[in-house]
Structures are given as C-alpha cells and as structure tokens.
Amino acid sequence: MSKDVKSLLKYRNKTISALDSASWISTCSECMDIKPVRTRHCSVCNRCVFHIDHHSPWVNNCVGLENLRFYLLFIFYLLLAVGYNLITVRAIWNHYIYKQNMQLMNFVYVFDQFLFLVLICVNIWHWTVAMTGMSTVDVICGGSSGG
C-alpha cells in the first residue's frame, strides 16, 4: 500500500467532528457527503468509494480499498479454474465422449483458451496496479482520483 493510503487510514475510525476541517474541505457534488482525498463517486452504486479502482459488474460492487484483496483473489481463482478446465478438456482428448461431441468440445476448448488469455491480461493489469499502490482511476486520470 502506498504511503498516501496508509496516512489516510488513520482517519478510518474517527467521527466527522474529530477530524480537522482543513483535510476535509471538499464535498461530493452528487451525494453532498464530505469527500476525503482519494475518494470518488460511483454513478452505478450512487455512493462515494475510498481509493476506488472501478465498478465491477462481475461482483456487482465497486472495487475499492476495502474489497480490493477479495477482487484480486477472485480473478486469480477464476484464472486457475479456467486453466484447470483447459487441462481437463485436453486430458479427455481421445475419449469416446469427446469424439461423440467433437464440435461442442472444440468450442469449449477454444473458448477456454481465449478466456485464459484474457484472464492472464486482467490479472497482470490488476495485480500490477495494486502492487504499485495506485488504482485504475489513478492510471487513467494521471495520478489523482479525487475528482
């Protein structure tokens, strides 16, 4: 986690009145709540999320600081599952059931290969961005996710 994020975590358990007013000048224009430095409003969830990475339709939630580790594990385990499916389909290549359903099994095999390559790219991207302490919004917006 980056130094900026660690310094903001000390504010997690404080009430609004206990916070110094100089750090919390801005408010969200959508929900009118106080907006910390690395917070962004999600138009899908209609709430502000701290250190938002993106809104994921696959988990039906925003991926932010609180659930980033679960999302990273989710996409990693998904990659492992698709890889296991590729190995399984390849293992029954000469089985009579495979030969009876050749078109369907070939489609499944090619689709799994495509999905495996896509998941490799998604995993590399998200793990790299997470290990640098940034988010996808930070990369796209040029380093500031405050807007």
Side-chain angles (χ1 to χ4, degrees), residues 1-3 5 38 51 68 125-136 138-139:
M1 217 180 304
S2 71
K3 185 180 176 184
V5 174
R38 293 185 62 143
H51 196 71
L68 181 62
W125 168 258
H126 283 292
W127 281 91
T128 304
V129 168
M131 284 191 278
T132 57
M134 297 180 74
S135 67
T136 304
D138 291 340
V139 173

Side-chain angles (χ1 to χ4, degrees), residues 13-45:
N13 296 327
K14 293 188 177 183
T15 62
I16 297 295
S17 60
L19 297 171
D20 56 339
S21 61
S23 299
W24 309 98
I25 300 170
S26 64
T27 57
C28 179
S29 60
E30 300 290 326
C31 60
M32 297 303 170
D33 285 337
I34 293 176
K35 184 174 173 181
V37 178
R38 293 185 62 143
T39 304
R40 205 166 174 93
H41 189 83
C42 176
S43 60
V44 179
C45 293

Side-chain angles (χ1 to χ4, degrees), residues 6-112:
K6 286 181 182 177
S7 67
L8 289 173
L9 286 178
K10 64 184 175 184
Y11 298 112
R12 177 185 272 172
N13 296 327
K14 293 188 177 183
T15 62
I16 297 295
S17 60
L19 297 171
D20 56 339
S21 61
S23 299
W24 309 98
I25 300 170
S26 64
T27 57
C28 179
S29 60
E30 300 290 326
C31 60
M32 297 303 170
D33 285 337
I34 293 176
K35 184 174 173 181
V37 178
R38 293 185 62 143
T39 304
R40 205 166 174 93
H41 189 83
C42 176
S43 60
V44 179
C45 293
N46 199 24
R47 64 185 174 104
C48 287
V49 180
F50 181 63
H51 196 71
I52 188 170
D53 191 78
H54 67 285
H55 183 88
S56 175
W58 312 115
V59 294
N60 194 26
N61 202 0
C62 285
V63 177
L65 183 68
E66 297 291 327
N67 61 353
L68 181 62
R69 64 182 165 263
F70 302 116
Y71 180 75
L72 291 174
L73 286 173
F74 171 71
I75 60 173
F76 178 69
Y77 291 147
L78 196 59
L79 176 70
L80 291 179
V82 170
Y84 181 75
N85 194 26
L86 269 173
I87 292 169
T88 303
V89 171
R90 182 64 179 111
I92 63 167
W93 198 274
N94 292 323
H95 198 271
Y96 74 94
I97 294 176
Y98 186 92
K99 291 179 180 180
Q100 286 176 352
N101 303 311
M102 179 89 56
Q103 282 186 322
L104 176 65
M105 296 304 280
N106 284 340
F107 172 76
V108 168
Y109 191 66
V110 171
F111 183 72
D112 276 352

